[in-house]
Coordinates of all heavy atoms in Angstrom, one line a residue:
A1393 N 63.9 48.1 -6.7 CA 64.6 48.9 -5.7 C 63.7 49.6 -4.7 O 64.1 50.2 -3.7 CB 65.4 50.0 -6.4
R1394 N 62.4 49.4 -4.9 CA 61.4 50.1 -4.1 C 60.5 49.1 -3.3 O 60.3 48.0 -3.8 CB 60.5 51.0 -4.9 CG 61.3 52.1 -5.6 CD 60.4 53.1 -6.3 NE 61.1 54.1 -7.0 CZ 60.6 55.0 -7.8 NH1 59.3 55.0 -8.0 NH2 61.4 55.8 -8.4
D1395 N 60.0 49.6 -2.2 CA 59.1 48.8 -1.4 C 57.7 49.3 -1.8 O 57.3 50.4 -1.3 CB 59.4 48.9 0.1 CG 58.5 48.0 0.9 OD1 58.1 47.0 0.3 OD2 58.2 48.3 2.0
I1396 N 57.0 48.6 -2.6 CA 55.6 49.1 -3.0 C 54.6 48.0 -2.8 O 54.9 46.8 -2.7 CB 55.6 49.4 -4.5 CG1 56.1 48.3 -5.4 CG2 56.4 50.7 -4.8 CD1 55.9 48.5 -6.9
P1397 N 53.3 48.3 -2.6 CA 52.3 47.3 -2.4 C 52.1 46.5 -3.6 O 52.3 46.9 -4.7 CB 51.0 48.2 -2.1 CG 51.5 49.6 -1.9 CD 52.8 49.7 -2.5
D1398 N 51.8 45.2 -3.4 CA 51.6 44.3 -4.5 C 52.8 44.1 -5.4 O 52.7 43.8 -6.6 CB 50.4 44.7 -5.3 CG 49.0 44.5 -4.6 OD1 49.0 43.7 -3.7 OD2 48.1 45.3 -4.9
K1399 N 54.0 44.2 -4.8 CA 55.2 44.1 -5.6 C 55.3 42.8 -6.3 O 55.6 42.7 -7.5 CB 56.4 44.4 -4.7 CG 57.7 44.4 -5.4 CD 58.8 44.7 -4.4 CE 60.2 44.9 -5.1 NZ 61.2 45.3 -4.1
Q1400 N 55.0 41.7 -5.6 CA 55.1 40.4 -6.2 C 54.2 40.2 -7.4 O 54.6 39.7 -8.4 CB 54.8 39.3 -5.1 CG 54.9 37.9 -5.6 CD 56.3 37.5 -5.9 OE1 57.3 38.0 -5.4 NE2 56.4 36.6 -6.9
F1401 N 52.9 40.6 -7.2 CA 52.0 40.6 -8.3 C 52.4 41.4 -9.5 O 52.4 40.9 -10.6 CB 50.6 41.1 -7.8 CG 49.6 41.3 -8.9 CD1 49.0 40.2 -9.5 CD2 49.4 42.6 -9.4 CE1 48.1 40.4 -10.6 CE2 48.5 42.8 -10.5 CZ 47.9 41.7 -11.1
L1402 N 52.9 42.6 -9.2 CA 53.3 43.5 -10.3 C 54.5 42.9 -11.1 O 54.6 42.9 -12.3 CB 53.7 44.9 -9.8 CG 52.5 45.7 -9.4 CD1 53.0 47.0 -8.7 CD2 51.6 46.1 -10.6
Q1403 N 55.5 42.3 -10.3 CA 56.6 41.7 -11.0 C 56.2 40.5 -11.8 O 56.7 40.3 -12.9 CB 57.6 41.2 -9.9 CG 58.4 42.4 -9.3 CD 59.3 41.9 -8.2 OE1 59.0 41.0 -7.4 NE2 60.5 42.6 -8.1
E1404 N 55.3 39.7 -11.3 CA 54.8 38.5 -12.1 C 54.1 39.0 -13.4 O 54.3 38.5 -14.4 CB 53.9 37.7 -11.3 CG 54.6 36.9 -10.2 CD 53.7 36.1 -9.3 OE1 52.4 36.1 -9.5 OE2 54.1 35.6 -8.2
Y1405 N 53.2 40.0 -13.2 CA 52.4 40.6 -14.3 C 53.4 41.1 -15.4 O 53.3 40.8 -16.5 CB 51.5 41.6 -13.8 CG 50.8 42.4 -15.0 CD1 49.7 41.8 -15.6 CD2 51.3 43.6 -15.4 CE1 49.1 42.4 -16.7 CE2 50.7 44.2 -16.5 CZ 49.6 43.7 -17.1 OH 49.0 44.3 -18.2
M1406 N 54.3 41.9 -14.9 CA 55.3 42.6 -15.9 C 56.1 41.5 -16.6 O 56.4 41.6 -17.7 CB 56.2 43.6 -15.1 CG 55.5 44.8 -14.7 SD 54.9 45.7 -16.1 CE 54.2 47.2 -15.3
G1407 N 56.5 40.5 -15.8 CA 57.3 39.4 -16.4 C 56.5 38.7 -17.5 O 57.0 38.4 -18.6
D1408 N 55.3 38.4 -17.1 CA 54.4 37.7 -18.1 C 54.1 38.5 -19.3 O 54.1 38.1 -20.5 CB 53.0 37.3 -17.5 CG 53.1 36.3 -16.4 OD1 54.2 35.6 -16.3 OD2 52.2 36.1 -15.6
R1409 N 53.9 39.8 -19.1 CA 53.7 40.7 -20.2 C 54.9 40.9 -21.1 O 54.8 40.8 -22.3 CB 53.3 42.1 -19.7 CG 53.0 43.1 -20.7 CD 51.6 43.7 -20.6 NE 51.5 44.8 -21.6 CZ 50.6 44.6 -22.6 NH1 49.9 43.5 -22.8 NH2 50.5 45.6 -23.5
R1410 N 56.1 41.0 -20.5 CA 57.3 41.0 -21.3 C 57.5 39.8 -22.1 O 57.8 39.8 -23.3 CB 58.5 41.3 -20.4 CG 59.8 41.4 -21.2 CD 61.0 41.8 -20.3 NE 61.1 40.8 -19.2 CZ 61.9 41.0 -18.2 NH1 62.5 42.1 -18.0 NH2 62.0 40.0 -17.3
E1411 N 57.2 38.6 -21.5 CA 57.4 37.3 -22.2 C 56.4 37.3 -23.4 O 56.7 36.8 -24.5 CB 57.1 36.2 -21.2 CG 57.3 34.8 -21.9 CD 57.1 33.7 -20.9 OE1 57.3 33.9 -19.7 OE2 56.7 32.6 -21.4
M1412 N 55.1 37.7 -23.2 CA 54.2 37.7 -24.2 C 54.6 38.6 -25.4 O 54.5 38.2 -26.6 CB 52.8 38.2 -23.7 CG 51.7 38.3 -24.8 SD 50.3 39.3 -24.4 CE 51.1 40.9 -24.3
L1413 N 55.1 39.8 -25.1 CA 55.6 40.7 -26.1 C 56.8 40.2 -26.9 O 56.9 40.3 -28.1 CB 56.0 42.1 -25.5 CG 54.8 42.9 -25.0 CD1 55.2 44.1 -24.1 CD2 54.0 43.4 -26.2
E1414 N 57.7 39.5 -26.2 CA 58.8 38.8 -26.8 C 58.4 37.8 -27.8 O 58.9 37.6 -28.9 CB 59.8 38.3 -25.8 CG 60.5 39.4 -25.1 CD 61.4 38.9 -23.9 OE1 61.2 37.7 -23.4 OE2 62.1 39.7 -23.3
R1415 N 57.3 37.0 -27.4 CA 56.8 36.0 -28.3 C 56.1 36.6 -29.5 O 56.3 36.1 -30.6 CB 55.8 35.1 -27.5 CG 56.5 34.1 -26.5 CD 55.5 33.3 -25.9 NE 56.1 32.4 -24.9 CZ 55.5 31.5 -24.2 NH1 54.2 31.4 -24.3 NH2 56.1 30.8 -23.3
L1416 N 55.4 37.6 -29.3 CA 54.7 38.3 -30.4 C 55.8 38.9 -31.3 O 55.6 38.8 -32.6 CB 53.8 39.5 -29.9 CG 52.5 39.1 -29.2 CD1 51.9 40.3 -28.6 CD2 51.6 38.4 -30.2

Side-chain angles (χ1 to χ4, degrees):
R1394 296 184 184 175
D1395 186 27
I1396 57 173
D1398 293 330
K1399 185 175 184 175
Q1400 181 67 31
F1401 169 76
L1402 288 171
Q1403 286 177 326
E1404 289 174 10
Y1405 173 82
M1406 291 294 184
D1408 291 347
R1409 179 123 177 110
R1410 182 174 57 195
E1411 184 178 331
M1412 178 199 64
L1413 289 166
E1414 288 170 351
R1415 288 181 182 180
L1416 287 170

